Amino acid sequence: MRAGRLVSMMLLLQQRGRMTADALAAELGVSVRTVYRDAEALAAAGIPIYGESGHEGGYRLVEGYRTRLTGVTETEAEALVLTGVPQAATDLGLQTELAALELKLSAALSPQQRDRAERARRLFHLDVVAWFQRSETVPMLATVANAAWEQRELKVRYRRWKEPREVERVLRPLGLVLKGGRWYLAASQGTGPVLPYKVANLLAGSKTDTPFERPDDFDLAAWWADNLTAFDARRYRGEAVVRFSPKPSNAPPTTSMPTPSPPSPKPTATNTTGPSPPSPSRPNGSPPATS
């Protein structure tokens, strides 16, 4: 952990020249006091680093010093595919590894190549979240990704759209897909078909010690394309005719369903001789009392 941070600090100074302790602390995600200790450790290891005080002060490397110490760690190699998609790296908990990887890749470039890479960063931005949506909270994503990487079965509690809403499943995770800011898991139950599971709907879960063999012929990108095609074919399709008029109308909308008619009044006897006198039990025509 600390060794990687020391390398990152050295590469930052190599690229940017002078940096203050506050700036280094912000880049490395540590305290200023930790930066002081790391600078002392680099100097003790023979790295020509020195500090300058004052308004224009900070840490520097001796002019002309270059290092080729740009080895990539295993976790940084895993983050390589996420270069340019920082939100995905953050969701997977690989933001630190991705930042270190980008720093090492940049250090391996010539000054001209580094300038072009920085210009491309300023010109292009990828936003994976669809319009009118927010990024989902996916607390189980790192666990799922780890199980998929180690090819271990997952025991999860999943919320689905039909009854019963909450079910327990033992899944074999084969891969993850980021679609419109939403994460989906490609997984099977035993030797069953590979189905999509929305990661945000995983309520709880843990990686088991049970290993599984990933099918050699499983292609995640091809499976996802087939899944989208099948989903589109299952959607309800119909036709409707909508008519618009430039004139406002206060009439209620018409529907294709017939409106039920009110019940017909019961026939009553017709009095041809005049009004009937009040009944003795109903003085002045009032309704009968109830008890």
Side-chain angles (χ1 to χ4, degrees), residues 216-259:
D216 294 333
D217 59 348
F218 179 74
D219 186 314
L220 180 62
W223 169 84
W224 182 250
D226 293 341
N227 181 69
L228 292 180
T229 301
F231 174 77
D232 189 63
R234 291 194 305 267
R235 289 193 303 174
Y236 174 79
R237 297 179 182 273
E239 294 183 358
V241 178
V242 181
R243 295 184 174 89
F244 295 92
S245 172
K247 298 180 180 179
S249 174
N250 295 327
T254 59
T255 63
S256 59
M257 296 294 293
T259 303

Side-chain angles (χ1 to χ4, degrees), residues 24 37 42 51-52 72 122 138 152 170 174 182 185-186 192 211:
L24 284 167
R37 289 197 295 265
L42 287 173
E52 297 176 330
V72 176
R122 293 195 301 264
V138 281
R152 302 285 178 176
V170 176
L174 301 178
R182 304 289 189 261
L185 168 65

Side-chain angles (χ1 to χ4, degrees), residues 116-131:
R116 291 184 66 87
E118 183 59 30
R119 185 165 181 251
R121 183 192 296 272
R122 293 195 301 264
L123 289 175
F124 302 102
H125 174 69
L126 175 62
D127 184 359
V128 298
V129 181
W131 287 105

